[in-house]
Amino acid sequence: MAEMTAKRLADVAEGVIRPLNQTELKSATSLVKDLIRQEPDLADMLSGDGPLRSFILAAFTLSPYLREIATVRPALLVEALSGPLEPLLAAAVVEARAAWQAEEGTAVPSEGEVMARLRRAKRKVAFVTALADLARIFTARDTTAWLTAIADAAVAAAIDHLLLTGHETGKLTLKNPEQPAEGSGLIVLGMGKHGARELNYSSDIDLVIFYDPEAGILKDPDDAMETYGRMMRRLVRILQERTADGYVFRTDLRLRPDPGSTPLAVPVEAALIYYEGRGQNWERAAFIKARPVAGDIKAGESFLRELTPFVFRKYLDYAAIADIHSIKRQIHVHKGHGAIAVKGHNVKLGRGGIREIEFFAQTQQLIAGGRMPDLRLRPTEQALTALAEARWIDAATAEELIDCYWFLRDVEHRIQMVHDEQTHVLPETEAELKRIAFMLGFIDTTAFSTTLETVLKTVERRYARLFEKEEGLSSATGNLVFTGQKDDPDTLKTLKGLGFERPEDISRVIRTWHYGRYRATQSVEARERLTVMTPDLLKAFGESRRADEALLRFDNFLAGLPAGIQLFSLLGNNPALLDLMVNIMAAAPRLAEIIAQRPHVFDGMLDPSLLVELPTRDYLGKRLSNFLTSARHYEDILDRLRIFAAEQRFLIGIRLLTGAIGGAQAGRAFTDLADLVVEAALAAVIAEMEAAHGRVPGGRVALAGMGKLGSFELTAGSDVDLILLYEHDEDASESDGVKPLDTLRYYTRLTQRLIAALSAPTAEGVLYEVDMRLRPSGNKGPVATRLRAFAKYQREEAWTWEHMALSRARLICGDESLMDEARTIIADVLSTPGDMARIATDVSEMRALIEQEKPPRDHWDLKLIPGGLVDIEFIAQYLALLAPARGLALSTSGLSTADSLKALADLIDANDRDICLDALRLYTDLSQLIRLCIDGPFDPAAVPAGLIDRVVRAAECPDLKTVEAELKRHAKAVRKVFSRVVAAR
């Protein structure tokens, strides 16, 4: 605090400030006359037209807040003008510090009385320091020192009151009730400007509170969290609740470790563990200024000594520079972007502002403070001086920044003195800016603006040199500050400008990342890398439609990641990969959910050949073979198959999402993957069966893929339709293992095991849902079908719809000889001419029945709409059954629906075929994309905007309305073709 000298307001110089205008001056003159009538002692002090009277009148015109205090408490003005200022202020501080104590002959004061005493003392200090500051009797250094002194006294008195109350109610047992905080283990640290003794005029105070449960004052240590939590809520109320006497200080407790998940007061041990393992660089910077201000001061000093290795690393801390650079980028450094606008400028956070000077000092302290203890100073001016003395910066820089710092603090104080508001923003109107200029002693706003611009540019220039090789996104977009607890108003504006509709929610989410609540962000390095990429990340997400939803999906993804360093590094250095991630989060909730639940699928995105190599069967087969090489046992094989299938389905989906492949290519890739995985699963199941039950003499097994699996048209979410066929020696009755089974039970159990191998959920999820209803007799028949029974059924009992399904059948794996026999049987069945009139009637009735029992949800139900996928598939299957009757010998087994229509070209008019092919191409592209990106129906009002964009792009249309019109046009045309080809025959 400033040395006590006989400083008096009566010594104010002539013309130090000027009245705002004549109207306000007349009002202030009238007020002074009223005050003299109430307090006659003022008559001698304010008589005549001397400098003191002129100053008081001008002050009252410029500060409605000071005028209001004088109106309500005219005696305060008498005290301020009567004698030396420092003794008056010192007495107010002593009064505040003793607010918890009983006055002689009275009882211990109630909480209400403590609050009243503190408010009276604070009001006196605020009133007197403002007048002394405006009169230039005090410098900004004096003002900040006295404001900090009253804050220290108020907090300490409130803490003593709360401890004593706890003692009297039996919750606590104090070691010395006359000195309640002594040995209490309750640590109250003042942070930021409070800790550095640099509080601004209308500052709030940031407190961090810790306690030692082993200090011995708690009756029951298990009640510590509840006891201290209640105590801190009362502390905030005592200090910041507005009463008839005003308030003391707005109080913020959110700089404690991870405030979203910790109590208001944190145990010392838990705090030390947090800072050691999860503390962030911005928290290190915050603790440079931390100071014990109340409670057990010795315990507070001991705590800070223990924390020193966290704040100041042993060696020059260049490891933190990347993080510091990224924080610097977030604080909106502009280089050469035109003139600084004085009106509306934020003198704390804006370009060339107070924050940049503080940050300049703190970054150097963080880097070098571990090796140079002389740099470990709280006040900004002292820190800059020490940096110059250590030759870390040059003396000219230090001197220039110190001068700028105190000038800006003067400006800040005057902004706040107008209405006692915690604001740092200069007025935007000329009239109000003139008020600030006059309070600072300038003759007009032009002179003030010129000086302020010079100061801001000086700070900006010095600050920019600190990281002159760094380029930041913030220079183009605005503030992006996510350190600390409060939402930075300019950051919220930046987020809004980037495209986020709920900037407060986004700001909160990003602060959660910084607190290391997710496994992926628990390491310091991971958080530093994430901090570095945050501006690019926000810019990329902001450019997507419904940016908030997309970023929240990314947050969900982060929550499931086991580690983050590699991913953050890759995304930070690979813009294409970052864009890909944004695409997923913006357009494909289903994919986003998959990578959130199973982050390992993202590993494949790191492959540089992802969008270059097409996922052919050979490509997938080599990958699967390599992946299964090290599998040790049956369960391991099944888990590896799940991991591989999930990853490859995801990667095929990524190719589809980005347009690297189309819908038909995706269908083939999804099908090739299913073929390989099902084949590997069947081999594992057969090996397990043979190990447990032996082999059936002459036993052979083959799997037929039906439906979309048979026609290479699987989607990302398809189940697989299978028929298991087997055959064995005629005289074989049972297997030859130690636990033999009869042949029917053997193949039934093998089939059941295969179904379980594919569809049973394990820790790695499900491979495929399995549908075996297309086997002979459907669900009523045995799950495994002997080949001879299959042949007999297809030739003698099968319905038309079963032969239609058979036209898509494809043998996918198993014993080669059995597969060949099955192919021969299927070809024989399908090459037998049928009753075409009956078949046409059956196909028409079947389509009508489906339409009746499963009507389409809407025109986006591409499968079931009249003229949709079912119509086209039925046309192809009907033509396949018609071919033998027309003397055509061809097989559609292993062909897609499109290839079938081309192969059957002789049976359909060329225009009708092209209509079907065009519609099928559109339906396939859209349905593949939709099934990839969402579960459930496509509702344009509910799906992500990013998906709508991709649907529009896939349909090669300008907008969604045009897509819908195209779908209706194609559906109408296909339905006409269906009627001409099937119904008319």
Side-chain angles (χ1 to χ4, degrees):
M1 200 182 301
E3 182 185 347
M4 292 212 180
T5 56
K7 294 179 180 179
R8 301 169 181 268
L9 283 172
D11 297 330
V12 64
E14 180 69 47
V16 66
I17 57 174
R18 305 173 64 193
L20 183 62
N21 53 49
Q22 288 301 310
T23 303
E24 290 289 337
L25 182 59
K26 286 180 182 179
S27 176
T29 303
S30 175
L31 171 62
V32 168
K33 289 178 181 178
D34 289 341
L35 295 178
I36 290 174
R37 281 195 292 271
Q38 295 177 57
E39 296 287 345
D41 291 344
L42 288 172
D44 291 338
M45 302 173 195
L46 299 177
S47 61
D49 294 321
L52 181 59
R53 177 184 173 87
S54 298
F55 166 73
I56 292 297
L57 289 172
F60 286 172
T61 69
L62 296 169
S63 172
Y65 172 65
L66 294 179
R67 184 166 58 199
E68 181 185 351
I69 291 180
T71 303
V72 176
R73 295 286 187 273
L76 263 183
L77 182 59
V78 176
E79 286 188 83
L81 301 181
S82 296
L85 298 172
E86 288 91 340
L88 177 62
L89 293 170
V93 172
V94 170
E95 176 189 337
R97 185 63 186 87
W100 65 279
Q101 294 175 320
E103 295 178 353
E104 190 173 346
T106 64
V108 173
S110 67
E111 196 153 297
E113 178 58 29
V114 171
M115 292 170 67
R117 291 179 182 181
L118 292 176
R119 280 155 178 74
R120 288 195 293 268
K122 164 64 186 313
R123 182 169 56 210
K124 181 181 293 187
V125 171
F127 184 72
V128 173
T129 54
L131 289 175
D133 199 335
L134 288 171
R136 294 297 183 182
I137 304 297
F138 280 0
T139 66
R141 295 173 179 85
D142 299 318
T143 302
T144 56
W146 283 111
L147 291 169
T148 303
I150 191 64
D152 287 358
V155 176
I159 289 291
D160 282 351
H161 164 74
L162 292 168
L163 287 170
L164 186 61
T165 302
H167 178 77
E168 291 178 342
T169 57
K171 290 284 186 182
L172 306 174
T173 303
L174 298 178
K175 296 177 180 178
N176 180 5
E178 293 186 2
Q179 297 290 332
E182 188 177 285
S184 65
L186 183 62
I187 298 168
V188 183
L189 301 180
M191 307 294 285
K193 288 184 170 63
H194 188 187
R197 293 188 169 89
E198 296 170 334
L199 281 179
N200 52 55
Y201 189 74
S202 296
S203 182
D204 56 5
I205 55 174
D206 292 293
L207 302 176
V208 178
I209 297 157
F210 306 107
Y211 65 87
D212 180 1
E214 305 303 320
I217 71 166
L218 287 161
K219 283 289 181 65
D220 185 351
D222 291 340
D223 292 338
M225 187 180 299
E226 181 183 350
T227 299
Y228 286 122
R230 188 181 298 116
M231 189 182 292
M232 293 315 118
R233 284 189 288 274
R234 289 171 62 193
L235 172 68
V236 172
R237 174 178 173 270
I238 289 170
L239 294 175
Q240 78 174 22
E241 185 176 277
R242 288 188 179 270
T243 70
D245 294 306
Y247 70 103
V248 191
F249 286 96
R250 290 172 291 270
T251 305
D252 195 334
L253 305 181
R254 292 177 298 175
L255 286 182
R256 67 189 185 275
D258 197 359
S261 60
T262 56
L264 298 178
V266 180
V268 167
E269 185 178 356
L272 291 172
I273 291 171
Y274 168 84
Y275 290 121
E276 181 181 342
R278 295 166 57 191
Q280 302 170 58
N281 279 325
W282 73 262
E283 289 174 304
R284 293 175 58 205
F287 268 96
I288 291 174
K289 294 180 181 287
R291 176 174 60 88
V293 297
D296 192 335
I297 300 297
K298 288 184 178 178
E301 290 170 345
S302 175
F303 176 82
L304 288 180
R305 280 194 298 273
E306 285 198 67
L307 211 57
T308 297
F310 162 68
V311 180
F312 299 107
R313 304 284 166 80
K314 186 176 180 181
Y315 303 104
L316 288 180
D317 191 12
Y318 289 105
I321 289 180
D323 194 32
I324 291 167
H325 283 182
S326 66
I327 296 172
K328 170 259 180 182
R329 284 201 299 271
Q330 293 174 357
I331 301 183
H332 200 190
V333 178
H334 291 255
K335 298 178 185 176
H337 290 280
I340 294 173
V342 171
K343 291 176 182 175
H345 191 77
N346 188 318
V347 297
K348 177 182 177 181
L349 298 177
R351 294 165 55 188
I354 296 166
R355 174 65 62 83
E356 291 186 1
I357 301 173
E358 293 171 336
F359 191 77
F360 183 101
Q362 287 173 307
T363 54
Q364 308 313 296
Q365 288 176 288
L366 279 184
I367 293 168
R371 187 173 135 187
M372 302 178 183
D374 290 344
L375 299 181
R376 301 173 191 176
L377 299 167
R378 297 182 180 103
T380 302
E381 179 177 0
Q382 291 181 24
L384 289 168
T385 301
L387 286 166
E389 290 173 352
R391 301 196 175 181
W392 198 257
I393 61 175
D394 62 74
T397 298
E399 183 178 348
E400 206 168 41
L401 288 177
I402 289 169
D403 289 344
C404 292
Y405 178 74
W406 287 116
F407 176 79
L408 292 172
R409 295 304 305 273
D410 270 338
V411 177
E412 177 185 49
H413 285 167
R414 277 136 185 85
I415 293 170
Q416 296 176 353
M417 285 175 188
V418 177
H419 294 293
D420 185 29
E421 293 176 343
Q422 171 70 344
T423 178
H424 312 276
V425 179
L426 284 163
E428 298 195 3
T429 66
E430 181 68 18
E432 287 301 307
L433 189 65
K434 183 170 76 170
R435 185 192 302 271
I436 304 302
F438 284 5
M439 292 173 84
L440 285 160
F442 286 95
I443 193 169
D444 54 27
T445 56
T446 301
F448 166 59
S449 297
T450 301
T451 302
L452 179 62
E453 285 180 16
T454 300
V455 168
L456 295 174
K457 287 178 179 177
T458 297
V459 174
E460 183 181 41
R461 185 180 68 253
R462 292 291 186 184
Y463 183 60
R465 288 177 187 169
L466 187 62
F467 303 111
E468 58 188 2
K469 293 182 180 178
E470 286 294 306
E471 293 181 0
L473 169 70
S474 296
S475 62
T477 62
N479 272 26
L480 285 173
V481 181
F482 302 105
T483 57
Q485 290 308 308
K486 303 173 188 174
D487 286 329
D488 169 46
D490 289 337
T491 295
L492 298 182
K493 289 180 185 176
T494 301
L495 290 172
K496 192 83 173 173
L498 283 172
F500 296 97
E501 295 179 357
R502 305 190 305 276
E504 294 86 357
D505 292 343
I506 300 305
S507 180
R508 187 180 64 252
V509 164
I510 295 171
R511 284 202 301 275
T512 297
W513 301 347
H514 287 298
Y515 277 114
R517 292 181 191 164
Y518 301 153
R519 285 181 297 167
T521 61
Q522 282 178 356
S523 77
V524 173
E525 188 178 0
R527 288 195 302 275
E528 289 175 353
R529 294 188 183 187
L530 181 58
T531 301
V532 169
M533 65 173 280
T534 294
D536 289 335
L537 191 75
L538 289 172
K539 185 173 185 292
F541 274 107
E543 290 172 352
S544 66
R545 292 176 66 191
R546 295 186 189 164
D548 304 66
E549 293 177 18
L551 189 74
L552 291 175
R553 288 192 196 98
F554 181 73
D555 175 62
N556 191 39
F557 164 63
L558 282 190
L561 272 183
I565 293 175
Q566 183 188 22
L567 172 67
F568 301 151
S569 299
L570 285 162
L571 291 179
N573 295 318
N574 190 331
L577 199 58
L578 177 59
D579 287 343
L580 195 53
M581 175 65 80
V582 173
N583 280 338
I584 294 170
M585 301 300 159
R590 183 175 172 276
L591 288 181
E593 188 175 334
I594 288 171
I595 56 177
Q597 293 173 347
R598 309 198 180 283
H600 65 77
V601 301
F602 193 75
D603 294 349
M605 287 180 69
L606 310 181
D607 185 344
S609 65
L610 171 63
L611 300 180
V612 178
E613 278 192 73
L614 292 179
T616 62
R617 186 183 180 94
D618 288 343
Y619 169 93
L620 294 169
K622 289 174 184 175
R623 299 260 170 150
L624 179 58
S625 177
N626 292 336
F627 193 64
L628 291 179
T629 300
S630 56
R632 297 182 301 276
H633 49 74
Y634 178 67
E635 287 75 14
D636 191 18
I637 293 173
L638 298 189
D639 276 343
R640 284 174 174 268
L641 286 175
R642 280 159 169 75
I643 293 169
F644 179 82
E647 181 176 311
Q648 293 302 325
R649 269 197 300 260
F650 176 78
L651 296 178
I652 294 167
I654 292 300
R655 295 176 173 98
L656 176 62
L657 184 68
T658 57
I661 60 175
Q665 282 179 294
R668 181 162 288 273
F670 283 130
T671 306
D672 284 338
L673 175 62
D675 284 358
L676 292 165
V677 169
V678 170
E679 182 177 11
L682 177 63
V685 167
I686 290 173
E688 278 293 290
M689 281 293 296
E690 291 178 351
H693 305 291
R695 303 184 61 173
V696 173
R700 295 174 295 161
V701 171
L703 277 178
M706 309 294 287
K708 291 187 181 300
L709 176 61
S711 59
F712 289 100
E713 294 169 323
L714 288 184
T715 67
S718 292
D719 56 10
V720 291
D721 292 295
L722 296 172
I723 297 177
L724 187 138
L725 302 170
Y726 69 90
E727 195 52 87
H728 53 75
D729 290 348
E730 192 62 41
D731 57 353
S733 59
E734 63 179 18
S735 61
D736 59 9
V738 293
K739 294 180 180 179
L741 295 174
D742 65 71
T743 55
L744 179 59
R745 284 205 306 163
Y746 184 93
Y747 289 108
T748 297
R749 186 165 299 180
L750 186 149
T751 306
Q752 290 167 340
R753 280 203 170 191
L754 177 63
I755 294 171
L758 296 173
S759 61
T762 72
E764 298 298 339
V766 170
L767 263 176
Y768 294 97
E769 296 294 341
V770 178
D771 190 339
M772 304 197 80
R773 289 175 296 178
L774 291 179
R775 67 186 186 271
S777 301
N779 286 340
K780 297 177 183 178
V783 292
T785 305
R786 193 170 181 181
L787 185 62
R788 64 181 61 181
F790 174 79
K792 183 175 187 298
Y793 179 86
Q794 291 293 345
R795 290 182 175 121
E796 300 175 8
E797 302 177 42
W799 296 73
T800 299
W801 70 265
E802 290 176 294
H803 282 173
M804 292 170 67
L806 197 63
S807 71
R808 300 171 84 182
R810 178 173 60 87
L811 275 298
I812 60 174
C813 62
D815 181 87
E816 282 294 339
S817 63
L818 188 63
M819 291 169 67
D820 288 340
E821 291 174 26
R823 289 189 189 101
T824 300
I825 291 169
I826 292 170
D828 181 60
V829 169
L830 293 177
S831 63
T832 302
D835 181 344
M836 293 317 302
R838 178 181 60 79
I839 292 173
T841 300
D842 287 348
V843 172
S844 297
E845 289 179 353
M846 197 183 327
R847 182 65 186 99
L849 183 64
I850 291 173
E851 207 163 326
Q852 179 182 339
E853 295 189 353
K854 286 186 176 182
R857 291 179 303 271
D858 53 32
H859 56 272
W860 283 101
D861 192 342
L862 303 182
K863 178 179 178 181
L864 295 175
I865 55 172
L869 281 168
V870 169
D871 281 32
I872 298 173
E873 290 169 355
F874 272 29
I875 290 170
Q877 293 162 24
Y878 169 76
L879 293 177
L881 300 185
L882 175 64
R886 294 292 176 87
L888 295 176
L890 54 88
S891 170
T892 57
S893 178
L895 298 181
S896 66
T897 302
D899 289 339
S900 294
L901 286 170
K902 293 172 185 175
L904 297 162
D906 291 343
L907 301 176
I908 183 172
D909 179 80
N911 287 332
D912 286 348
R913 182 198 62 205
D914 290 344
I915 287 171
C916 289
L917 288 174
D918 288 345
L920 180 61
R921 190 179 305 110
L922 176 62
Y923 295 161
T924 300
D925 286 343
L926 296 188
S927 59
Q928 283 283 4
L929 189 61
I930 291 168
R931 293 282 67 80
L932 171 74
C933 293
I934 57 173
D935 288 312
F938 179 84
D939 177 1
V943 301
L947 175 54
I948 291 177
D949 291 342
R950 280 155 185 78
V951 164
V952 168
R953 193 182 310 153
E956 298 181 351
C957 291
D959 53 44
L960 196 65
K961 283 188 177 180
T962 308
V963 178
E964 292 176 337
E966 279 295 286
L967 287 174
K968 290 176 182 176
R969 180 178 70 80
H970 280 292
K972 185 176 181 181
V974 169
R975 178 44 68 97
K976 287 181 179 178
V977 172
F978 181 86
S979 298
R980 283 196 293 271
V981 171
V982 179
R985 294 176 188 265

